[in-house]
Amino acid sequence: MESERNKRLLQDVLARPGNDVCADCGNAEPDWASVTLGVFVCQGCSLLHRGIPHISRVKSVQQETWDASEVELMAAMGNEPAKAKYEQKVPAFYYRPKHTDCKLLREQWIRARYERNEFEFIEKQEPYSAGYREGFLWKRGRDNGQFLSRKFILSEREGALKYFNKQDARDPKAVMKIETLNATFQPAKIGNPYGLQITYLRDNSTRNIFVYHSDSKEMVDWFNAIRAARFHYLQVAFPGASDEELVPKLTRSFMKEGFMEKTGPKHTEGFKKRWFTMDDRRLMYFKDPLDAYARGEVFIGSKENSYTVLPGLPPSTQGYHWNHGITIVTPDRKFLFACETEAEQRDWIAAFQRVINRPMRPQEYAVEAHFKHKP
């Protein structure tokens, strides 16, 4: 029967190298295929392909009937040849999303490759490759929580991202050095599908800015422009480093975020609920997840430097409402936290342990010294 034969041939094509993972996000279950582009994709990415029906038509590999012509197209293309075609000139700094990334990043990656052909024609990369970008973003006000339109300018030449409170203002409200800049998409936290959290260091303390734009491409272009600026800055700062060494340093997602309770240095103060963000070795806590400044920051060093994390709290501890405690021991003091659930406690301990198990880099000793001398 022809349909059975086509199904067998399709399974043979699926077994070829590269076709065993999603062409778009690397997920291990490519149960769908674009019969117009000739690529195998996962279910999540197949839903995004449905957003470009003029370019991509998807079918289930297992559950739908395939024509001989469709199987022939898949055999003629496949994931590896498609990658060679659609990713010819992807800049080293451009963020390639994984299946765990937010929908926005994955959708724009798919559109950039197949709809806009950005990686076949370098001139189409100008919005994030030019070294300069300006435009308006909706920025959350530090005090009132309202989002207002603000002008932003990113300049590699000046080594900074700036924003202005008034359209005709000559002086920026804030200057964020590219050296300490980070950006990470936070749609759930910000309450907008295109929400971006930008962080930078001011007087060696972390400052948060929350922005979004109504156009998804515009937002991802800003994100990749920041990555490009960081990439070019690091190339100058570390002239011997390879692209593979620099790319992981461009932007980073937080290791873990969530609510915990904490007490003060005497351990006699009542426990207070705070929002915690683990950003590499910086553990920051905020009264509200969208606060501009942290109420405090804790440096988490390595086990070689006498940092340890323990489940539970000292027996004499009082005043906590949540029962799943964590004690972080540093050379100077103990920090006490409490989690609402055992699962949260387990996740936080795992995050702390990953950092503590990693030896400190030379530049991290300078950061640790600054924390010790904070007023």
Side-chain angles (χ1 to χ4, degrees):
M1 197 173 167
E2 189 181 350
S3 63
E4 287 300 316
R5 179 174 170 273
N6 290 340
K7 209 167 191 176
R8 281 198 309 275
L9 289 171
L10 185 63
Q11 291 302 319
D12 290 342
V13 177
L14 191 58
R16 291 180 188 172
N19 291 346
D20 58 339
V21 295
C22 174
D24 297 327
C25 73
N27 200 358
E29 295 180 357
D31 294 332
W32 292 76
S34 170
V35 296
T36 45
L37 297 169
V39 292
F40 292 95
V41 297
C42 67
Q43 184 178 9
C45 290
S46 78
L47 295 173
L48 301 176
H49 275 254
R50 291 179 197 277
I52 48 170
H54 53 296
I55 287 165
S56 183
R57 184 168 63 87
V58 291
K59 289 185 79 165
S60 168
V61 171
Q62 307 296 344
Q63 296 171 356
E64 293 185 57
T65 303
W66 284 67
D67 298 336
S69 60
E70 293 170 336
V71 177
E72 283 170 18
L73 186 138
M74 297 305 299
M77 184 57 93
N79 290 3
E80 290 296 332
K83 186 175 183 178
K85 177 184 179 182
Y86 294 110
E87 299 179 29
Q88 292 173 37
K89 298 168 183 172
V90 182
F93 61 78
Y94 194 97
Y95 187 78
R96 295 168 177 260
K98 302 178 286 294
H99 71 279
T100 50
D101 282 308
C102 65
K103 177 187 172 185
L104 168 67
L105 279 168
R106 292 184 293 116
E107 180 185 8
Q108 286 304 315
W109 168 241
I110 286 168
R111 287 183 179 272
R113 291 161 81 211
Y114 307 124
E115 185 180 46
R116 298 192 294 266
N117 305 114
E118 281 179 27
F119 311 125
E120 295 174 65
F121 306 100
I122 282 181
E123 62 272 16
K124 294 190 176 186
Q125 300 172 13
E126 192 174 339
Y128 44 82
S129 294
Y132 180 89
R133 182 177 176 84
E134 69 172 79
F136 287 86
L137 296 171
W138 292 95
K139 177 194 166 289
R140 187 179 192 274
R142 187 182 76 188
D143 300 319
N144 60 14
Q146 282 186 303
F147 280 89
L148 298 169
S149 181
R150 294 289 181 251
K151 182 180 180 181
F152 281 76
I153 294 177
L154 176 67
S155 170
E156 287 188 17
R157 188 173 56 81
E158 294 180 36
L161 172 67
K162 302 179 286 188
Y163 80 87
F164 300 79
N165 264 1
K166 293 188 172 63
Q167 200 166 336
D168 55 353
R170 292 186 61 186
D171 297 322
K173 176 69 175 171
V175 177
M176 302 162 249
K177 289 183 179 177
I178 288 170
E179 179 185 358
T180 67
L181 204 58
N182 185 43
T184 178
F185 280 102
Q186 295 271 26
K189 185 172 167 183
I190 295 171
N192 184 284
Y194 310 148
L196 186 73
Q197 180 174 348
I198 296 170
T199 62
Y200 66 101
L201 291 183
R202 185 160 139 181
D203 301 325
N204 212 47
S205 290
T206 304
R207 165 84 158 97
N208 294 324
I209 285 181
F210 302 96
V211 297
Y212 72 86
H213 194 283
S214 57
D215 184 286
S216 55
K217 178 185 183 298
E218 185 81 6
M219 209 62 250
V220 174
D221 284 349
W222 270 106
F223 177 64
N224 280 304
I226 289 170
R227 286 177 61 86
R230 291 267 307 145
F231 184 61
H232 298 139
Y233 163 79
L234 290 170
Q235 281 182 316
V236 174
F238 303 99
S242 66
D243 290 357
E244 289 72 24
E245 291 171 297
L246 297 182
V247 167
K249 296 183 171 73
L250 302 187
T251 54
R252 61 195 179 275
S253 298
F254 300 133
M255 294 183 73
K256 179 154 177 63
E257 289 193 289
F259 283 107
M260 288 194 290
E261 292 182 331
K262 69 167 288 294
T263 186
K266 295 176 184 173
H267 300 170
T268 54
E269 306 91 336
F271 277 72
K272 292 179 180 175
K273 182 181 172 183
R274 293 288 181 254
W275 177 265
F276 283 82
T277 296
M278 182 82 175
D279 184 9
D280 199 40
R281 292 196 185 275
R282 286 176 183 262
L283 176 66
M284 299 167 279
Y285 55 91
F286 306 83
K287 191 170 184 181
D288 183 272
L290 296 177
D291 282 348
Y293 292 100
R295 290 292 178 99
E297 301 190 32
V298 180
F299 182 84
I300 311 290
S302 67
K303 59 187 177 185
E304 290 88 354
N305 298 82
S306 305
Y307 289 82
T308 54
V309 57
L310 306 167
L313 299 170
S316 59
T317 310
Q318 294 180 329
Y320 54 88
H321 307 95
W322 291 347
N323 294 320
H324 305 281
I326 298 174
T327 301
I328 292 183
V329 183
T330 77
D332 300 318
R333 60 169 277 202
K334 290 179 179 178
F335 292 89
L336 309 184
F337 309 111
C339 302
E340 188 172 17
T341 66
E342 191 177 343
E344 274 291 290
Q345 178 199 40
R346 205 165 42 239
D347 289 349
W348 274 111
I349 288 175
F352 293 140
Q353 203 65 63
R354 278 201 303 277
V355 172
I356 286 170
N357 287 344
R358 196 178 73 218
M360 278 167 61
R361 298 190 296 268
Q363 59 267 38
E364 290 174 333
Y365 284 95
V367 178
E368 180 189 40
H370 181 87
F371 268 78
K372 287 182 177 178
H373 296 110
K374 268 190 175 183

